[in-house]
Amino acid sequence: MNDNIIKIPDSEKTLTAGKLFYNWFAANIGIMGFVFGAMIVSYHLSFFQAIIASLVGALSFAIPGWVAMIGQKEGVTTFKLSRAAYGTHGNKIPNAIAWFNMVGWLAVNVITGTLLLVSLFSIINVKKSSVTTAVALVIFGGLVVLSGLLKEDTLAKIQTWLSWIFGILTVLILVLFLLKVKWQEAFSLPSGSWITGVLPAVSIVAAGSGISWSMAAADWGAYVTKKTKPSATFWNTTMGGAVPLFVLMAGGVLLSTIEPSLATTGDPFGVMYSALPTWIGLIYFLVAAGGLIPQCIISFRSARINLATIGINVTQRTSLMIHGAIVLAIPIYVLFISGNFLTNFELFLNFLGICLASWVAIFLCDSVMFRSQGYDVALLENDSKTHFNWRGIISWILATTTGFLFTNNAIWNGPFAHGIFRNNSLGVFVSAIIAIICMLLWKVAVPNKKVA
């Protein structure tokens, strides 16, 4: 995680395509995928439309697959590659936003995991108290922080085991859900609009999965062995995330027939638990909490890489201490001081998704349009003469601003967030589309010989 090292040494490239698959499979096997499925149905879609939306949304993982493939080809992590598109200084803003977003969601997951462990304690007759909450936080947060001491190959092995363990247990829970599904009700759901229903539903899934994970993809792809085919890196990353997510969302579509409140409740884990037999309670909460750990491992590792890329150069031990303190401090504040902080914090993090959608669109356009012969390492180094690549910076500002104008939530109401754009993540798509248009216009207007 040394920012002065641009290309990962071959001796450190120990990951295979199969390990990538399990890495992303583990991160997406958590039962929150059921909630995504229920959210899709809430857009008043038929069973067929909901399955199509689930499939398309899950395939948004082709974006991290593409980023990971670039990372493998160049042997460079995500936001070091991004310097080519934005310049070494210009890259610091999207890099910092990605770091904050990564650390923020990591803290949210630690909070959720802690509360699930507290619920697990109650199953074994340990009453909820400040002490049990503190113990749960130490256990869950401690496991995440300790993962920072491990090398990539060791983490990949852990993710593989977590994929099998929680994958099998999640399938068991899925089967129990399916036994209670009202199949006739599911198949008789009336069709909704493909424009105002399916498209917004896809945007919700893509924003929360493929687009969000793209900022970490090359952090793993860069460590894939040279002998691995780039296409294998792409497909194993894409399918590793898409397959479990699609299966769980399809289950969530069916689960909504027995728990219609799943998409809107403030306690989705409690609602799902109420649909299960009591004997499965211990396993359920173990899976619910444990399924968050693989996500946290990826986020914790990439957050530390991103901090170094911003230019904050500290030792690995100091970086571990900084991120460990943040990951524990936010949950302590939420769990013991102000629980009301969490809702607005999550809304703010969702808001940052627009910035990341425009960032990854520009990153990929830059790669296709201007890096077909590979990346010039001189553009990626700390002392690069290209401090600001205005092509990427201006495109990012225009695209991000436009995305905000078409977005609304509890803390922001964009002037164009009406009709089809109301109460969904289509602003993320708008941001990405405008970014692509800006890059295409720049490609036409500026000859290749004048481009950095």
Side-chain angles (χ1 to χ4, degrees):
M1 297 181 186
N2 186 340
D3 191 41
N4 294 317
I5 299 175
I6 302 301
K7 287 185 174 286
I8 303 300
D10 289 346
S11 60
E12 295 184 23
K13 295 180 179 180
T14 56
L15 301 183
T16 62
K19 289 179 179 178
L20 278 185
F21 177 88
Y22 284 116
N23 179 63
W24 292 108
F25 187 96
N28 288 276
I29 197 61
I31 61 177
M32 274 301 290
F34 291 127
V35 181
F36 266 134
M39 290 172 65
I40 289 173
V41 177
S42 71
Y43 281 92
H44 309 292
L45 305 180
S46 67
F47 176 77
F48 174 73
Q49 288 177 315
I51 294 300
I52 292 296
S54 299
L55 179 60
V56 176
L59 288 177
S60 68
F61 240 88
I63 300 172
W66 192 353
V67 175
M69 183 172 63
I70 296 172
Q72 187 216 345
K73 286 180 178 179
E74 302 297 330
V76 182
T77 54
T78 308
F79 276 93
K80 285 180 182 176
L81 286 168
S82 181
R83 288 172 175 170
Y86 295 91
T88 51
H89 293 347
N91 187 58
K92 292 182 186 295
I93 296 177
N95 193 169
I97 290 173
W99 175 82
F100 186 86
N101 192 67
M102 190 83 72
V103 171
W105 280 118
L106 175 58
V108 171
N109 280 338
V110 169
I111 293 167
T112 304
T114 299
L115 293 174
L116 287 168
L117 280 182
V118 171
S119 298
L120 186 150
F121 291 159
S122 66
I123 296 294
I124 55 176
N125 297 319
V126 177
K127 292 184 179 180
K128 180 180 179 180
S129 67
S130 296
V131 174
T132 56
T133 301
V135 170
L137 176 57
V138 169
I139 293 173
F140 195 93
L143 287 173
V144 174
V145 174
L146 286 175
S147 72
L149 299 173
L150 306 175
K151 296 290 186 179
E152 286 73 22
D153 190 50
T154 304
L155 289 174
K157 291 177 181 177
I158 291 174
Q159 296 285 64
T160 299
W161 279 104
L162 292 177
S163 292
W164 281 103
I165 294 170
F166 292 115
I168 292 171
L169 293 176
T170 301
V171 168
L172 172 61
I173 291 171
L174 174 61
V175 170
L176 292 174
F177 281 147
L178 294 179
L179 292 175
K180 298 182 69 175
V181 165
K182 300 175 182 177
W183 293 94
Q184 186 174 357
E185 183 177 326
F187 293 135
S188 62
L189 288 170
S191 295
S193 170
W194 288 92
I195 301 299
T196 61
V198 174
L199 193 56
V202 170
S203 75
I204 291 284
V205 178
S209 55
I211 292 174
S212 294
W213 282 120
S214 61
M215 57 186 170
D219 297 341
W220 293 87
Y223 286 84
V224 174
T225 58
K226 291 184 68 175
K227 65 181 181 180
T228 301
K229 293 181 179 179
S231 59
T233 295
F234 171 81
W235 284 111
N236 278 274
T237 300
T238 300
M239 302 311 291
V243 169
L245 185 59
F246 171 68
V247 171
L248 293 177
M249 286 193 295
V253 170
L254 295 169
L255 180 59
S256 65
T257 63
I258 54 176
E259 293 294 347
S261 65
L262 182 57
T264 56
T265 180
D267 181 23
F269 292 101
V271 170
M272 285 187 280
Y273 177 52
S274 66
L276 292 168
T278 55
W279 62 265
I280 197 73
L282 183 63
I283 294 176
Y284 169 77
F285 283 110
L286 180 63
V287 172
L292 292 172
I293 291 177
Q295 298 179 27
C296 293
I297 288 175
I298 292 176
S299 297
F300 192 71
R301 178 177 173 276
S302 286
R304 293 168 61 214
I305 292 174
N306 285 345
L307 184 68
T309 309
I310 292 172
I312 302 177
N313 293 310
V314 294
T315 64
Q316 289 200 35
R317 178 179 295 181
T318 302
S319 176
L320 186 64
M321 292 173 63
I322 291 172
H323 287 90
I326 294 172
V327 165
L328 294 176
I330 294 176
I332 287 172
Y333 183 77
V334 171
L335 294 170
F336 299 102
I337 301 174
S338 176
N340 295 329
F341 169 77
L342 184 59
T343 300
N344 288 333
F345 186 56
E346 288 181 330
L347 287 172
F348 179 67
L349 293 176
N350 281 321
F351 206 49
L352 293 182
I354 294 172
C355 305
L356 296 174
S358 53
W359 161 77
V360 73
I362 291 166
F363 171 84
L364 292 175
C365 284
D366 178 84
S367 179
V368 171
M369 297 176 183
F370 307 109
R371 317 294 163 195
S372 58
Q373 302 302 314
Y375 282 69
D376 183 353
V377 177
L379 294 174
L380 312 180
E381 294 175 339
N382 293 328
D383 57 356
S384 169
K385 294 181 180 180
T386 306
H387 292 169
F388 299 96
N389 188 335
W390 293 107
R391 173 184 65 248
I393 294 170
I394 293 173
S395 298
W396 182 75
I397 292 173
L398 290 173
T400 302
T401 302
T402 305
F404 286 153
L405 297 178
F406 286 86
T407 300
N408 75 287
N409 55 36
I411 59 176
W412 170 258
N413 189 27
F416 303 125
H418 303 294
I420 186 177
F421 298 101
R422 195 73 181 170
N423 297 325
N424 55 59
S425 296
L426 278 178
V428 170
F429 281 7
V430 170
S431 178
I433 292 170
I434 296 299
I436 294 170
I437 292 173
C438 288
M439 292 296 285
L440 287 171
L441 291 175
W442 207 292
K443 173 71 173 176
V444 172
V446 182
N448 285 343
K449 64 182 180 180
K450 296 182 180 181
V451 174

